[in-house]
Amino acid sequence: AQSVTQPDIHITVSEGASLELRCNYSYGATPYLFWYVQSPGQGLQLLLKYFSGDTLVQGIKGFEAEFKRSQSSFNLRKPSVHWSDAAEYFCAVGADRDDKIIFGKGTRLHILP
Amino acid sequence: KAGVTQTPRYLIKTRGQQVTLSCSPISGHRSVSWYQQTPGQGLQFLFEYFSETQRNKGNFPGRFSGRQFSNSRSEMNVSTLELGDSALYLCASSPHQGQGYEKLFFGSGTQLSVL
């Protein structure tokens, strides 16, 4: 069964600084990988997803993620964060399209002015 | 197009009671999934319904149940409430069966407090 780990519960960065949120997955084959964001009091919104092909995936709001099979990782990056990026970020993994996806426990991002 | 609507937004119950939460998916979406979100455990998958059939189920006790109607609206029921059932319950819809096919559209959730 697949699983996903987000090692950082909280991350604090200054506005304008770069960001990297870590995600490690466990699955024998090539997984389906996702990053979702949850703003306070809201549901989750998909930032980007990886199914196959180019290992560098571009998403919405200026985010990107890189799939590294050798490290079983799918880290989320943004070159310059904005105060509005303060939210909770969830990495998720699926075995295939017709199955459920498993979410990590989330990383809460704090932005310093 | 209206988004995923969950009602009620907040709910307060006492131990031993039962509760029913409702989810109306985006028009045309046939898959509805339910999640329990707590600060310590993150999002935990409860179940998915597609065309009125339960397609997947998470590791929750039988007190948690759900159903989907012919118009794709879904309800989940929790019987004999326990303090540990206090959580944000999120519903997500998708046009297709399975959650990996394309993105899920989430509602804002129902915040359940059990006293």
Side-chain angles (χ1 to χ4, degrees), chain A residues 5-28:
Chain A
T5 301
Q6 293 180 248
D8 304 303
I9 300 174
H10 294 274
I11 290 272
T12 301
V13 299
S14 298
E15 190 169 17
S18 63
L19 170 70
E20 183 168 29
L21 301 182
R22 296 184 291 165
C23 172
N24 294 102
Y25 68 89
S26 174
Y27 183 64

Side-chain angles (χ1 to χ4, degrees), chain A residues 52-110:
Chain A
S52 64
D54 193 347
T55 56
L56 186 62
V57 181
Q58 301 297 321
I60 62 171
K61 304 185 180 188
F63 286 92
E64 67 177 26
E66 187 171 13
F67 170 60
K68 293 186 177 180
R69 184 191 303 275
S70 61
Q71 298 176 19
S72 298
S73 69
F74 188 57
N75 294 347
L76 182 71
R77 302 193 296 245
K78 187 170 184 178
S80 177
V81 297
H82 186 261
W83 64 266
S84 60
D85 293 325
E88 190 154 22
Y89 292 79
F90 294 90
C91 181
V93 61
D96 58 62
R97 289 183 169 182
D98 294 333
D99 200 358
K100 62 182 180 292
I101 58 175
I102 304 299
F103 285 86
K105 294 189 177 182
T107 296
R108 184 166 294 279
L109 175 64
H110 306 272

Side-chain angles (χ1 to χ4, degrees), chain A residues 32 34 36 38 41-46 49 51 88 90 96-106, chain B residues 9 35 37 40-43 45 48 56-57 88 90 97-108:
Chain A
Y32 292 77
F34 308 82
Y36 279 83
Q38 184 180 32
Q42 301 296 317
L44 281 71
Q45 179 185 24
L46 180 71
K49 61 186 178 185
F51 287 168
E88 190 154 22
F90 294 90
D96 58 62
R97 289 183 169 182
D98 294 333
D99 200 358
K100 62 182 180 292
I101 58 175
I102 304 299
F103 285 86
K105 294 189 177 182
Chain B
R9 186 70 178 90
Y35 288 87
Q37 184 177 15
Q41 297 299 318
L43 278 90
F45 173 74
E48 179 199 359
N56 272 307
K57 190 176 189 305
L88 179 67
L90 291 167
Q97 173 187 325
Q99 304 166 327
Y101 197 90
E102 54 187 276
K103 70 180 178 180
L104 300 173
F105 293 80
F106 281 83
S108 297

